[in-house]
Amino acid sequence: MTNERITLPPAEERELVRTLAQHVLEVRAPEELVLFDESADEFFADPERVLAAGGRDEAVGFGVELALLTPFVLAVVTPVVQLLVNMIGAAATKHGQRSVDDLVRRLLRRPSTDSSNADAEPPPVLSADQLALVRTVALDRSRTVGLPEDQAALLADAIVGGVAVAGTP
Amino acid sequence: MGSESPGAITLASPQPRPQILAVPSPTISRFLLLVAALLSSGLFVGTWIHNQSAVGDDWLERLRECESRRPPLAADAGTAELLRAEEWFLRCAQPAQETLAWYALFGVGLTIVAGVAILAVVPVVIRRRRELRPLGPRLESASSGLAAIARDTGLRRSPRAMIGSSKLRDAFSYGFPGHYAIALPPALVVRSTGPAFDPIVRHEVAHIARHDVLIAWSARAFWIAVAVLLAAPVLVAIVQGDVSLLPSYLWRAALLVGVTLVASAGILRAREYDADVSSATTEHRRAALRALLGTSARAAPRVWGRALARHPSAADRSAVLENPALLARPSWVDAALAAFLASVVMPLLVSVFATVPSITAWAYSVPAILVGPLMGATVGLSLWRVAIVDRVITESSSIAPAARRLFAGVFVGYLLGGFASLAEVGSVITITTRIPIVLLDAVLVAGATFLAAGVAVLAGSRAAHFSARTYTAGAIALSGIVFAFVLWASTTVTRSWDLAGWSLARRVILDVLTQAPAASVVLVLGAAVLALLALRSSPSPPAWAVDERTPALPERAAAAPAPPAPPALRTVLLLGMATGAAAALVILVFRAAVGPAEGFDEQVQRYEAYTWVFAGAGAATAVSLLLFHGITGAGAGLLAAPVASVTSALGFIAMNTFYGGAVSLGFIEGVVRPGVVLGALLLVLVSVIAVLPLPRASHARPVLVILVAAVVGALVAGGTLALRDAVSPLPAVDTDAMAVEEYVTGYAPLVDLRLSELDQTVASISADTTSTSVETAGRIRAEIVSPLAELEAGAADVGVDDESLETSHRVLLAGLETLARAYEMYAVGYETGDGELLLDAGAAQRLGVQEIQAWRTSVAARLAGG
């Protein structure tokens, strides 16, 4: 792995974030998938505002806040995807393999954008250390966005599980 | 009144669960008071607009003119002179004052229009800012779930289900009656079969069913309108560089805006408790709601944030769900806020009515009739609610501490409001001068709290005879009457005190407060208490006051200790009669000891002193009742006091007849009525001793209660008669001086005003170029000659003993006669076209004017010389 940081074009990165977030939501909150596209669009338009929402004392409101998990999953998944891109991208560059985007897609078991190489190679596999690092990043980010400790842990596990299961040949 | 901090009343289990919403919470009346306070600010704004315009300049000019011509008063002027001078001034200023009143009403209209306009755009703004959209077919499950709950709750029209963006995390309702909508957070919509959906949607539907949406948003809309309108005078003053009024205006406006904001939040918090209780009617639903509230991660706000919070804490809400009796626990802060608002509204309403002479007679009664029921429904309904909960939960009686809390709140709120009303902006009377006046005002109004509490206990003990609706109506009606009566009396007294000091206030108490309508009010209250006491007291609460899902009533009734009993009807009646008889006996002894009155003035003095004795007998009954029966005694006093006053007055009449006085129904009514009214007012003052930790309604021996009342009545009567010179000072007699003063301060100004009006008529006829000569002649005869002849005839009937004044009066008579003759010559001249006659008429007119001027000068000289 080189020290050079690999970044994907924003649109591609968001696509991967959406993909992994949907993976996680299928496990943690499948009922939210019905509103996933709208929620994701609102999140990407202004992530901080969506995450910091709440605290309003609505007149004739109920007085207890219920937040979607989706924005938090998207917020946590974003650095995870960046981490995965760097992990897989370093190896891909070294061996002259296909695009990072495709490799991550394959890791997440999503259709490749390069149809000529579809299913020609097995998806990349992450080592135990790499998965541990993914969990650490996910856990840290979960805490940063204000999720309670138990939910943060569950979410980190769901992300790691999603990546590990998806990456298993 | 919904409690804000339910506190820690712990209940032994199992407890009967009160049906707390059977008697509605007084938040509606608190809301109406809030709106009234906001709208009354419009009166100030309208007046300010008037004063800023050219119309205001004209008004000022007119008032200056009237003031310059106002007949000055002697230092020892009596009530009649004071009132006559004031009446003269009001008549002089009437046209300008009417215009001012219209501007004030325009200010109210402006506030209403602005508030309604804001209210109308609120749903649009909410939809746009909160990015709300209909749920759509994908989320049909949530839509149908909401509709089902709305049907189950009994809403005729299901609210529209809207979903917000992912930034929306709390559900809320908005819209207008018939077009309500509930905004649901996406996290709830996607979990429409989850455990949170039903409690949250039921809570919101309860808000809609209870009209909370309209209350919340209209309070906010009017608040915004008033805040903006009240800012206008500040901005204009700064722009114009005239900030002289700002010191007295700014803090009052800011306080009003701040208090209404806090009051509005308090009302919303109380409505949240109600919505919780009415939406969770089964133990299963209560458990679900409590569980949901337990998940709330919202941090408890600090003190100021708590005052402005629209929701109580989740812990308090859970506590109320567990024990709804907490909801009946009234808060002194809520009472203070309500009293503050009432206190700022009253003077503004009074000032509008007092402005226009044609409606001045209603200046105190109409504001009291408007505000009194709102105070009654706020404070009284709270107490009646406590009284009924006390019947359900018999382990503790909380009415006395509740009444004391409300008394303290009303006292503090009314006191502050007395200084903070916008009606006092620019007043020449300093705050320090007004302290005793405002204190008396606040004590009287707060004292009404104890009367309402006393009646509440009586009604609570007889509640089994009434339906929930009748009980509620009774609470509002009787408490409203009590507060309206006290507000009317206190405002009348304190305003007259403001106007011309205690001497006028004393006369107003005896002459104005004791009128027949006031006596009727006292009799109505007495009759109501009589009817309540005549009903059989029931140890068990009415079925409507108990949650039907609790154990059967008979079992509880058998297990529960009997609630404390109010005094029996017979005791109350005997106590009143005994106290009245004792007071009458003291009068008899006094009369026998000092003999008959010497002269008319002493007769008047004794009559007034006797009136206070009758009133004191009424108040004495309350002393004994309060001492032996606690707060309940205040309610019973409403019957005992008039009985005592009437008995003592009848005793006096019997004595007077014995000594040879004539008796007629008019005489009896004239003697009895003032004592009855003043007795009721003293009862209000005496009931203030209930702030002390008096015993709970006990089983004191009736004989002792009656004996103590009679002794106190006798002592009060003896003291009043011994201090009669202080109670009713004899006037310094100088009949000649009085006659002269009557002429120069009463009669002369009225003639002067009439002549000024005729001058204006003359100017009007002269300016009329459209009438023919014959028509002009007709107008001169009808509008000038005839009134002059009337004035002349009136002047001829005036007898003047003073020599120099008689000379002046003869000059007036001559002037009136000359003027009448001159204008008759004008009329003939116009009819005949005789130019020479018109010239003669002009000469005669000038002569008449000179004579009138000479009369004016001599009267003014007489005034200046005292």
Side-chain angles (χ1 to χ4, degrees):
Chain A
M1 191 181 292
T2 65
N3 289 331
E4 192 179 339
R5 184 176 167 78
I6 301 169
T7 53
L8 292 177
E12 288 178 21
E13 183 182 299
R14 283 185 184 180
E15 193 53 37
L16 289 172
V17 168
R18 282 174 182 262
T19 303
L20 182 54
Q22 278 177 310
H23 255 312
V24 174
L25 284 171
E26 277 164 10
V27 177
R28 297 290 308 135
E31 67 277 9
E32 292 192 9
L33 289 171
V34 68
L35 290 174
F36 181 79
D37 288 339
E38 295 98 311
S39 304
D41 289 346
E42 285 162 11
F43 173 80
F44 288 125
D46 191 348
E48 293 307 317
R49 205 166 152 222
V50 170
L51 293 173
R56 285 182 71 107
D57 192 11
E58 302 282 3
V60 281
F62 180 71
V64 172
E65 295 184 353
L66 298 171
L68 284 172
L69 189 61
T70 305
F72 294 93
V73 171
L74 288 164
V76 174
V77 159
T78 299
V80 168
V81 165
Q82 287 163 354
L83 177 67
L84 292 174
V85 165
N86 276 282
M87 283 175 174
I88 296 169
T93 308
K94 194 173 176 181
H95 297 104
Q97 289 180 332
R98 68 180 65 191
S99 74
V100 175
D101 177 32
D102 265 6
L103 285 170
V104 177
R105 280 182 179 282
R106 290 175 65 77
L107 173 70
L108 301 179
R109 279 190 162 180
R110 286 295 184 262
S112 169
T113 51
D114 184 356
S115 56
S116 64
N117 290 319
D119 300 327
E121 295 174 26
V125 178
L126 298 184
S127 67
D129 288 345
Q130 285 175 315
L131 286 174
L133 183 59
V134 166
R135 188 178 190 282
T136 302
V137 168
L139 198 57
D140 286 348
R141 180 63 177 153
S142 298
R143 289 170 180 152
T144 307
V145 298
L147 285 178
E149 192 61 31
D150 56 339
Q151 282 193 35
L154 286 172
L155 183 55
D157 288 344
I159 289 172
V160 171
V163 171
V165 170
T168 305
Chain B
M1 183 171 307
S3 65
E4 288 186 36
S5 303
I9 298 175
T10 48
L11 299 173
S13 185
Q15 270 290 335
R17 186 180 173 85
Q19 188 66 269
I20 198 68
L21 296 179
V23 178
S25 78
T27 41
I28 293 283
S29 54
R30 284 166 62 191
F31 164 72
L32 292 175
L33 264 175
L34 175 75
V35 172
L38 291 172
L39 292 183
S40 72
S41 308
L43 293 172
F44 175 83
V45 172
T47 306
W48 174 78
I49 292 172
H50 169 272
N51 294 344
Q52 291 295 309
S53 64
V55 183
D57 296 337
D58 295 343
W59 172 83
L60 196 59
E61 187 57 38
R62 176 71 179 176
L63 258 65
R64 278 189 186 135
E65 185 190 333
C66 293
E67 192 59 50
S68 68
R69 288 166 45 201
R70 181 204 281 262
L73 288 165
D76 59 343
T79 312
E81 287 77 19
L82 285 168
L83 293 177
R84 202 178 298 131
E86 191 59 26
E87 187 186 349
W88 182 92
F89 180 82
L90 287 174
R91 280 189 59 191
C92 175
Q94 177 159 359
Q97 294 288 77
E98 280 177 354
T99 308
L100 173 61
W102 280 116
Y103 268 80
L105 291 176
F106 167 75
V108 176
L110 190 65
T111 311
I112 292 173
V113 169
V116 170
I118 293 170
L119 193 59
V121 299
V122 159
V124 179
V125 172
I126 289 175
R127 272 198 300 274
R128 187 169 299 170
R129 290 184 62 179
R130 314 308 299 277
E131 302 167 51
L132 302 179
R133 60 187 192 279
L135 283 184
R138 276 188 308 160
L139 304 164
E140 173 60 30
S141 165
S143 302
S144 54
L146 188 151
I149 290 172
R151 272 196 308 278
D152 186 41
T153 309
L155 279 189
R156 276 184 293 179
R157 195 167 178 173
S158 177
R160 199 170 180 204
M162 307 290 280
I163 184 171
S165 73
S166 49
K167 294 187 281 294
L168 181 68
R169 295 187 182 176
D170 189 9
F172 67 93
S173 307
Y174 66 96
F176 299 115
H179 297 88
Y180 286 121
I182 298 179
L184 298 168
L188 184 67
V189 171
V190 297
R191 296 175 178 88
S192 60
T193 54
F197 190 84
D198 187 83
I200 291 178
V201 172
R202 274 190 192 280
H203 177 94
E204 290 307 313
V205 168
H207 272 314
I208 288 171
R210 300 175 55 77
H211 311 292
D212 295 348
V213 179
L214 194 60
I215 287 174
W217 291 110
S218 53
R220 188 187 277 194
F222 282 114
W223 183 85
I224 293 170
V226 167
V228 171
L229 288 172
L230 287 180
V234 179
L235 295 176
V236 172
I238 292 170
V239 169
Q240 291 182 341
D242 177 10
V243 294
S244 56
L245 274 184
L246 284 194
S248 68
Y249 171 72
L250 209 50
W251 72 269
R252 288 186 168 94
L255 189 61
L256 178 66
V257 169
V259 167
T260 47
L261 190 62
V262 172
S264 171
I267 292 168
L268 293 187
R269 284 196 298 276
R271 304 293 289 185
E272 291 298 333
Y273 287 122
D274 292 356
D276 280 345
V277 172
S278 65
S279 67
T281 49
T282 64
E283 193 49 51
H284 172 70
R285 284 182 189 151
R286 281 193 286 273
L289 184 50
R290 277 200 300 272
L292 189 58
L293 290 169
T295 65
S296 174
R298 188 174 286 179
R302 291 169 189 272
V303 178
W304 186 239
R306 204 178 305 154
L308 294 177
R310 296 174 183 134
H311 283 83
S313 72
D316 283 347
R317 290 171 70 178
S318 288
V320 166
L321 280 170
E322 182 77 24
N323 174 20
L326 296 175
L327 202 50
R329 190 172 187 265
S331 143
W332 79 272
V333 176
D334 291 341
L337 291 171
F340 177 90
L341 297 176
S343 185
V344 299
V345 168
M346 281 295 290
L348 283 166
L349 289 177
V350 168
S351 66
V352 169
F353 278 88
T355 298
V356 184
S358 55
I359 54 172
T360 300
W362 303 96
Y364 302 110
S365 51
V366 172
I369 288 168
L370 291 173
V371 177
L374 293 179
M375 278 296 286
T378 301
V379 176
L381 194 55
S382 295
L383 291 163
W384 283 54
R385 217 177 180 205
V386 173
I388 203 67
V389 169
D390 275 357
R391 307 302 296 182
V392 178
I393 302 169
T394 50
E395 274 75 3
S396 67
S397 172
S398 52
I399 188 80
R404 279 197 284 275
R405 274 198 307 279
L406 292 183
F407 171 86
V410 172
F411 175 76
V412 170
Y414 212 81
L415 190 69
L416 286 178
F419 294 115
S421 175
L422 290 172
E424 301 301 327
V425 172
S427 170
V428 292
I429 304 171
T430 60
I431 285 181
T432 48
T433 310
R434 297 202 75 234
I435 285 175
I437 301 171
V438 177
L439 266 175
L440 174 67
D441 214 6
V443 167
L444 275 166
V445 176
T449 306
F450 288 127
L451 294 191
V455 180
V457 179
L458 294 178
S461 65
R462 272 76 177 168
H465 297 279
F466 308 118
S467 66
R469 190 168 288 188
T470 310
Y471 185 83
T472 303
I476 295 170
L478 290 180
S479 305
I481 291 172
V482 167
F483 272 95
F485 174 65
V486 174
L487 279 171
W488 165 77
S490 67
T491 309
T492 306
V493 172
T494 52
R495 284 280 140 180
S496 58
W497 194 346
D498 262 344
L499 187 67
W502 175 244
S503 62
L504 179 63
R506 195 173 61 81
R507 294 303 331 160
V508 164
I509 290 171
L510 282 165
D511 299 338
V512 178
L513 294 192
T514 56
Q515 297 298 310
S520 306
V521 169
V522 176
L523 293 180
V524 165
L525 289 171
V529 171
L530 175 72
L532 284 172
L533 286 171
L535 292 171
R536 185 183 294 274
S537 174
S538 168
S540 54
W544 51 261
V546 183
D547 192 323
E548 61 190 13
R549 292 163 186 84
T550 53
L553 269 174
E555 293 171 24
R556 275 202 316 279
L569 173 60
R570 190 175 55 181
T571 305
V572 174
L573 291 175
L574 283 175
L575 178 142
M577 287 189 279
T579 311
L585 195 62
V586 171
I587 292 176
L588 184 64
V589 171
F590 168 79
R591 171 65 178 78
V594 301
E598 293 177 2
F600 177 73
D601 287 337
E602 195 178 350
Q603 280 183 343
V604 170
Q605 185 195 47
R606 285 198 188 178
Y607 169 74
E608 290 182 359
Y610 292 156
T611 299
W612 283 111
V613 168
F614 309 151
T621 62
V623 173
S624 178
L625 284 167
L626 281 162
L627 284 177
F628 288 103
H629 287 276
I631 200 80
T632 319
L638 280 169
L639 173 61
V643 168
S645 297
V646 169
T647 305
S648 57
L650 291 177
F652 162 74
I653 291 168
M655 181 198 76
N656 191 57
T657 310
F658 173 77
Y659 281 114
V663 184
S664 67
L665 278 178
F667 177 72
I668 294 172
E669 191 267 343
V671 170
V672 170
R673 176 171 37 79
V676 168
V677 179
L678 296 181
L681 288 172
L682 287 181
L683 172 68
V684 179
L685 282 176
V686 168
S687 68
V688 172
I689 62 175
V691 293
L692 303 171
L694 297 170
R696 286 171 53 188
S698 66
H699 299 284
R701 295 174 64 181
V703 174
L704 183 63
V705 183
I706 293 169
L707 193 63
V708 169
V711 169
V712 174
L715 289 174
V716 168
T720 305
L721 293 175
L723 299 171
R724 63 188 181 284
D725 284 334
V727 173
S728 176
L730 284 169
V733 183
D734 183 349
T735 50
D736 287 347
M738 282 175 67
V740 171
E741 197 171 296
E742 174 99 13
Y743 186 92
V744 296
T745 63
Y747 173 71
L750 289 174
V751 172
D752 196 31
L753 179 64
R754 195 75 190 97
L755 287 170
S756 298
E757 290 170 351
L758 286 175
D759 284 344
Q760 289 175 11
T761 309
V762 169
S764 162
I765 294 173
S766 301
D768 182 4
T769 55
T770 57
S771 299
T772 63
S773 298
V774 175
E775 287 169 343
T776 303
R779 283 194 67 187
I780 289 172
R781 285 207 178 88
E783 296 176 35
I784 301 174
V785 177
S786 179
L788 276 171
E790 281 177 24
L791 265 180
E792 189 185 346
D797 288 341
V798 172
V800 183
D801 293 332
D802 182 86
E803 195 174 328
S804 92
L805 202 60
E806 189 189 5
T807 308
S808 299
H809 190 65
R810 277 205 296 272
V811 173
L812 171 67
L813 279 168
L816 291 173
E817 186 189 352
T818 308
L819 281 177
R821 183 160 39 81
Y823 284 109
E824 178 57 32
M825 286 161 70
Y826 270 126
V828 175
Y830 277 114
E831 281 173 342
T832 59
D834 185 343
E836 200 167 323
L837 189 58
L838 289 173
L839 286 174
D840 289 345
Q845 183 197 10
R846 282 191 292 279
L847 176 63
V849 169
Q850 283 170 6
E851 287 168 333
I852 294 295
Q853 194 53 44
W855 169 76
R856 280 179 173 146
T857 306
S858 65
V859 170
R862 194 61 192 253
L863 272 171

